[in-house]
Amino acid sequence: MQWFDILKLISLSDEEKNRRHVMFIGGMKKSLPIAQTIVQIANLGGGQLVLGIDLKNHHLVGSGLAASELPTLAQSFIEPELPLLCDAVSHNDKT
């Protein structure tokens, strides 16, 4: 995924975001809310979770996590294990 793809997700209407199950978490404060959101998306049949985005200004603020760390972090709270596809996006020296 590229920064342009993130901007396209941000620009979707609220109705389209809901239909496609696209959710955003601005900053990485605690891992439990992320795990809960992943479960919520899984219960809806799948979707996309984008971490580290300032939606008001369309800036990448970063999550403080490498893409390889997220599945391990999430699975520590989720049972049974869910298949997760994680990708990192870099923009203006942030990931």
Side-chain angles (χ1 to χ4, degrees):
M1 183 171 276
Q2 302 295 320
W3 178 243
F4 181 74
D5 299 315
I6 300 295
L7 291 177
K8 285 197 285 187
L9 290 174
I10 291 170
S11 68
L12 293 173
S13 68
D14 288 343
E15 180 180 320
E16 185 64 13
K17 287 176 189 166
N18 289 334
R19 189 183 71 73
R20 293 173 55 178
H21 311 299
V22 176
M23 299 182 187
F24 297 89
I25 295 179
M28 174 61 189
K29 302 283 190 232
K30 296 181 181 175
S31 49
L32 183 57
I34 291 172
Q36 290 171 330
T37 304
I38 290 169
V39 169
Q40 181 182 9
I41 291 171
N43 287 339
L44 293 170
Q48 293 176 293
L49 173 61
V50 182
L51 301 174
I53 302 294
D54 176 353
L55 292 175
K56 290 183 182 180
N57 299 311
H58 298 182
H59 292 160
L60 178 66
V61 295
S63 68
L65 287 173
S68 60
E69 293 176 284
L70 188 57
T72 303
L73 176 74
Q75 299 302 354
S76 66
F77 292 97
I78 300 170
E79 186 70 36
E81 192 169 304
L82 293 172
L84 299 175
L85 174 63
C86 300
D87 198 3
V89 174
S90 295
H91 181 69
N92 292 338
D93 298 323
K94 293 189 180 175
T95 302

